[in-house]
């Protein structure tokens, strides 16, 4: 029921058209309206398909690795491929500043490390307000300032999208100078989608780095502990032992790894549960027992056991004190 256009017939002679011809023209026009609508729907579906393909490929590529450097580079590569631009930069918010941590494309090396105050320039405003923006001609934008300029990069047009994580902007992606001289109508939508995907991926990489650091710290504490300490799986097999455990028991590490915890000391099953049910329930237990040393002597020990995650594996930690 919406007007989408008109058909016009012209004849040099007056009164050249009849009512029958008008009815025929109306019938043709009605069919043309349907054809135009179908063409528009097809164009829209093609547009949506391009956008979804770009985002799907971006999501698949970004999540290949959780190393932060790899994540940054994959985000940049996907942005360049999806938007066909000369240069792409990625900045992370740090306090009151946006710091560019990665860049790719023309003169990308001049971008790394640049700091922009939040709210300064087109990029700073986008980061501060957490919104996407496309500027087809920066010379006509009043917000364009020195903050948006990079050495060796003649900026003509830019798209900036926030990197969103848990409802807040943690950084931005900036695409500079489309190769085709103007941005595709879907460019802003694609860029915003990439920003959302990037936020999730970067957050996962940050969590992974923290987890790796925590594991490393645990390993250091484990090995340097003044207490004899062992790690077992839920079948009781010893999978790790520190230096103090080897000194106290008299066994070398290779032999310890061939033993089960009940071969090394008398497990109080009433305390741990027959299948370590007490420990599975995230409860700790302590008891006194006897350590079977390598020289076949018995040593009275105080045992403390608890559930831990060791090398990303659900395990049991045993501390045996003389």
């Amino acid at each position: 029921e919406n007007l989408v256009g008109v058909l016009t017939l012209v004849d040099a002679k007056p009164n050249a058209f009849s009512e029958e011809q008008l009815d025929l023209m109306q019938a043709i026009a009605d069919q043309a309206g349907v054809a135009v609508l179908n063409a528009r729907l097809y164009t829209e579906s093609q547009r949506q398909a391009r956008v979804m393909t770009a985002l799907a490929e971006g999501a698949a590529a970004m999540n290949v690795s959780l190393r932060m450097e790899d994540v940054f580079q994959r985000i940049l590569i996907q942005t360049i491929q999806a938007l066909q631009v000369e240069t792409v930069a990625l900045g992370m918010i740090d306090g009151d500043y946006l710091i560019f941590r990665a860049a790719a494309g023309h003169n990308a090396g001049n971008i790394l490390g640049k700091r922009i105050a939040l709210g300064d320039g087109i990029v700073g405003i986008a980061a501060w307000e957490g919104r996407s923006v496309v500027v087809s001609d920066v010379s006509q934008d009043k917000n364009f300032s020195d903050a948006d300029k990079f050495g060796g990069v003649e900026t003509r047009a830019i798209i900036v999208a926030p990197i969103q994580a848990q409802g807040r902007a943690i950084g931005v992606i900036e695409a500079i100078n489309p190769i085709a001289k103007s941005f595709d109508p879907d460019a802003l939508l694609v860029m915003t989608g990439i920003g959302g995907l990037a936020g999730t991926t970067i957050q996962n990489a940050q969590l992974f780095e923290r987890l790796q650091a925590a594991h490393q710290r645990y390993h250091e504490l484990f090995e340097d502990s003044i207490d004899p300490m062992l790690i077992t799986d839920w079948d009781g097999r010893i999978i790790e032992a520190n230096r103090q455990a080897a000194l106290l028991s008299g066994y070398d590490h290779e032999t310890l790894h061939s033993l089960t915890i009940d071969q090394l000391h008398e497990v109080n099953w009433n305390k741990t549960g027959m299948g370590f049910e007490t420990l599975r329930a995230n409860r700790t237990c302590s008891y006194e027992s006897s350590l079977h040393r390598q020289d076949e002597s018995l040593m009275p020990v105080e045992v403390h056991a608890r559930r831990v995650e060791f090398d990303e594996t659900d395990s049991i930690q045993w501390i045996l004190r003389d």
Side-chain angles (χ1 to χ4, degrees):
E1 299 300 322
N2 295 321
L3 179 68
V4 296
V6 295
L7 283 177
T8 304
L9 264 67
V10 179
D11 196 299
K13 300 176 183 179
N15 303 314
F17 301 120
S18 65
E19 288 295 324
E20 289 79 8
Q21 287 172 312
L22 178 61
D23 291 340
L24 179 59
M25 275 290 289
Q26 186 62 62
I28 293 172
D30 290 342
Q31 293 299 315
V34 173
V36 169
L37 179 61
N38 287 340
R40 288 179 176 176
L41 290 173
Y42 176 76
T43 301
E44 176 66 14
S45 67
Q46 291 292 93
R47 183 188 70 82
Q48 292 180 351
R50 286 197 303 272
V51 171
M52 294 306 295
T53 299
L55 295 181
E57 290 176 350
M62 288 179 202
N63 288 288
V64 169
S65 170
L66 283 177
R67 289 184 66 252
M68 192 62 73
E69 295 81 4
D70 293 341
V71 168
F72 283 163
Q73 286 303 311
R74 290 181 183 281
I75 292 171
L76 298 175
I77 291 170
Q78 287 303 308
T79 304
I80 285 180
Q81 291 177 348
L83 273 70
Q84 293 295 298
V85 292
E86 293 178 1
T87 308
V88 175
L90 186 151
M92 299 297 293
I93 294 175
D94 187 355
D96 294 328
Y97 289 90
L98 181 72
I99 303 175
F100 284 93
R101 300 288 176 82
H106 181 63
N107 282 334
N110 295 331
I111 299 174
L112 295 177
K114 181 170 181 177
R115 296 165 63 92
I116 296 176
L118 295 181
D120 191 2
I122 296 172
V123 177
I125 292 172
W128 177 259
E129 297 180 355
R131 63 180 178 87
S132 300
V133 60
V134 56
V135 180
S136 299
D137 184 354
V138 296
S139 66
Q140 302 299 314
D141 194 292
K142 64 180 182 180
N143 293 321
F144 184 72
S145 70
D146 290 340
D148 297 302
K149 298 177 182 178
F150 302 110
V153 179
E154 183 184 351
T155 304
R156 300 185 302 274
I158 62 173
I159 290 183
V160 183
I163 298 173
Q164 299 276 2
Q166 294 183 334
R168 65 183 182 88
I170 60 173
V172 297
I173 308 174
E174 179 180 4
I176 305 171
N177 298 341
I179 295 174
K181 306 305 179 185
S182 63
F183 286 113
D184 186 277
D186 304 320
L188 185 62
L189 181 60
V190 171
M191 192 72 163
T192 302
I194 290 176
L197 293 171
T200 302
T201 307
I202 289 173
Q203 189 174 48
N204 288 342
Q206 289 173 337
L207 292 172
F208 179 73
E209 284 189 345
R210 293 193 197 107
L211 184 61
Q212 290 289 86
H215 283 168
Q216 180 61 32
R217 180 60 179 155
Y218 181 81
H219 271 279
E220 292 171 357
L221 292 173
F222 175 82
E223 190 58 38
D224 295 338
S225 173
I226 61 173
D227 290 318
M229 196 178 299
L230 304 107
I231 302 293
T232 71
D233 60 19
W234 289 97
D235 291 324
R237 290 188 292 265
I238 297 173
I239 56 178
E240 195 59 74
N242 69 356
R243 285 190 294 267
Q244 294 298 327
L247 290 173
L248 186 69
S249 66
Y251 292 107
D252 57 33
H253 280 85
E254 183 178 354
T255 304
L256 280 172
H257 288 174
S258 68
L259 301 175
T260 58
I261 194 66
D262 57 339
Q263 290 176 310
L264 191 63
H265 85 286
E266 297 174 9
V267 176
N268 188 328
W269 300 107
N270 290 328
K271 293 280 190 177
T272 64
M274 289 304 297
F276 303 119
E277 290 88 355
T278 300
L279 303 177
R280 287 182 187 276
N282 289 319
R283 297 197 300 271
T284 61
C285 68
S286 301
Y287 54 89
E288 293 182 0
S289 181
S290 296
L291 175 69
H292 300 276
R293 302 185 76 246
Q294 191 270 339
D295 61 7
E296 298 185 358
S297 63
L298 294 178
M299 175 182 290
V301 290
E302 186 179 69
V303 180
H304 301 274
R306 68 186 182 104
R307 184 178 188 171
V308 298
E309 185 174 307
F310 188 83
D311 281 343
E312 301 182 39
T313 303
D314 197 22
S315 310
I316 306 173
Q317 177 194 72
W318 305 82
I319 298 175
L320 311 177
R321 289 181 177 144
D322 183 347

